[in-house]
C-alpha cells in the first residue's frame, strides 16, 4: 500500500491534526523545500511539531542515521508516525530522535542543527512561542543554518493574532483553528536577531506560504 493510501486508511475514523488529502505530496514537498535550501544527507534537521511524520518520513529516509530530530507533544500522533507510517527497519537503522516537550525546547537533543522545519506551526502558535522558536534557532543551530516555516500573513481578512495561546488541535485541545501574523512583525523579530528573511512560493499540496530565515554563515 502506498503512503497516501496508508494514511487515508488510518485517518478514516480519527483526526490526526492534518488533512488526509495530499498527505504524501505535502510531506514530499516539505522535503523538497529543504533540499532547495541546501539539505544534504549529513545535515542535522529539527522538525518542530513533527506530528505523524508527514515530512519526517521522507527526511528520515534521506538523512544519515541520527540526523533527524522531531518535537511532538501529542504522543498518539507521534506514535502513529513512528510505528505505523515509518517502516520498522527504517526506524531501527536511521535512529531518529524525538522529544515530547511543549515548550519548543530545542536544546534537549544536545545538538547544533543545520535546519529547523516548522510546517503549519506558526499558523497556530502565538507570538510569544514564535519568539521562543527564533531565540532557540539562534542558540541551537550552526552558522548559515536555515529555518523553513509556513505562516498565514495578517491582512484585512485575517487579523494579526495578539493572543497568548496555541490555536488549533494539539495535545491539549480538540478544537481546530488557525491564526495569522503580520509579516512586518516577523521581519522585525528577524532583524532583532540578525536573521535574513526570504519569502518562498506557496506549496501545491496545502497552498501554505513559506519563509526561509537564515543565519549568516
Ligand atoms: C497542523 S499540525 C502539523 C504537523 C506537521 N508539521 C505536518 O506538517 O504534518 C501541528 C502540530 O503541532 C503540534 N503541536 C501543538 N502544540 C505544540 C507545541 N507546544 N510544541 C510542538 N508541537 C506542538 C500538534 O500536536 C500537531 O501535531
Amino acid at each position: 500500500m502506498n503512503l497516501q493510501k496508508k494514511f487515508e486508511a488510518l485517518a478514516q475514523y480519527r483526526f490526526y491534526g492534518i488533512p488526509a488529502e495530499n498527505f504524501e505530496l505535502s510531506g514530499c514537498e516539505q522535503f523538497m523545500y529543504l533540499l532547495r535550501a541546501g539539505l544534504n544527507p549529513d545535515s542535522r534537521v529539527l522538525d518542530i511539531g513533527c506530528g505523524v511524520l508527514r515530512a519526517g518520513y521522507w527526511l528520515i529516509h534521506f538523512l544519515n542515521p541520527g540526523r533527524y530530530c522531531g518535537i511532538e507533544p501529542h504522543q498518539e500522533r507521534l506514535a502513529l508516525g513512528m510505528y505505523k507510517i515509518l517502516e520498522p527497519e527504517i526506524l531501527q537503522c536511521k535512529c531518529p530522535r524525538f522529544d515530547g516537550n511543549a515548550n519548543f525546547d530545542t536544546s534537549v537533543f544536545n545538538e547544533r542543527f543545520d535546519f529547523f522545519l516548522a510546517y503549519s506551526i506558526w499558523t497556530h502558535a502565538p507570538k510569544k512561542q514564535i519568539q521562543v522558536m527564533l531565540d532557540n534557532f539562534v542558540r541551537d543551530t550552526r552558522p548559515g543554518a536555515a529555518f523553513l516555516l509556513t505562516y498565514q500573513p495578517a491582512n484585512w481578512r485575517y487579523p494579526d493574532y495578539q493572543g497568548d495561546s496555541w490555536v488549533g488541535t494539539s495535545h491539549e485541545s480538540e478544537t481546530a483553528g488557525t491564526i495569522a501574523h503580520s509579516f512586518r512583525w516577523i521581519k522585525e523579530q528577524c532583524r532583532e536577531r540578525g536573521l535574513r528573511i526570504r519569502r518562498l512560493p506557496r506549496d501545491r499540496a496545502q497552498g501554505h506560504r513559506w519563509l526561509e530565515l537564515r543565519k549568516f554563515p
Side-chain angles (χ1 to χ4, degrees), residues 79-149:
L80 189 90
M82 288 173 72
Y83 305 115
K84 295 273 196 293
I85 301 288
L86 207 57
E87 300 83 357
E89 62 278 15
I90 296 292
L91 181 65
Q92 201 188 15
C93 74
K94 292 295 183 132
C95 310
R97 287 178 283 161
F98 298 102
D99 193 79
N101 85 78
N103 313 317
F104 303 95
D105 183 359
T106 57
S107 71
V108 290
F109 299 104
N110 204 15
E111 192 68 87
R112 295 193 75 206
F113 295 96
D114 303 296
F115 291 91
F116 272 20
L117 169 67
Y119 188 91
S120 196
I121 300 301
W122 287 26
T123 43
H124 305 281
K127 288 186 167 55
K128 67 175 187 187
Q129 290 184 340
I130 290 177
Q131 287 171 318
V132 171
M133 286 182 245
L134 289 172
D135 287 339
N136 293 351
F137 175 68
V138 170
R139 185 192 63 197
D140 294 333
T141 58
R142 296 159 179 249
F147 191 164
L148 292 220
L149 64 100

Side-chain angles (χ1 to χ4, degrees), residues 7 11 14-20 51-52 54 74 77 119-120 124 168-170 176:
F7 186 67
R14 183 98 174 79
F15 181 60
Y16 287 103
I18 51 171
V52 301
R54 181 163 56 165
H74 196 304
R77 290 180 188 172
Y119 188 91
S120 196
H124 305 281
T169 70
S170 72

Side-chain angles (χ1 to χ4, degrees), residues 127-195:
K127 288 186 167 55
K128 67 175 187 187
Q129 290 184 340
I130 290 177
Q131 287 171 318
V132 171
M133 286 182 245
L134 289 172
D135 287 339
N136 293 351
F137 175 68
V138 170
R139 185 192 63 197
D140 294 333
T141 58
R142 296 159 179 249
F147 191 164
L148 292 220
L149 64 100
T150 62
Y151 83 119
Q152 169 63 52
N155 56 36
W156 64 271
R157 256 177 93 190
Y158 303 103
D160 190 24
Y161 183 65
Q162 300 298 333
D164 267 349
S165 37
W166 178 274
V167 176
T169 70
S170 72
H171 56 296
E172 292 175 330
S173 165
E174 292 287 329
T175 311
T178 56
I179 49 176
H181 293 290
S182 120
F183 180 70
R184 187 191 292 194
W185 178 81
I186 295 173
K187 219 163 88 174
E188 178 62 21
Q189 295 299 310
C190 290
R191 197 190 55 74
E192 283 174 15
R193 293 166 178 82
L195 301 173

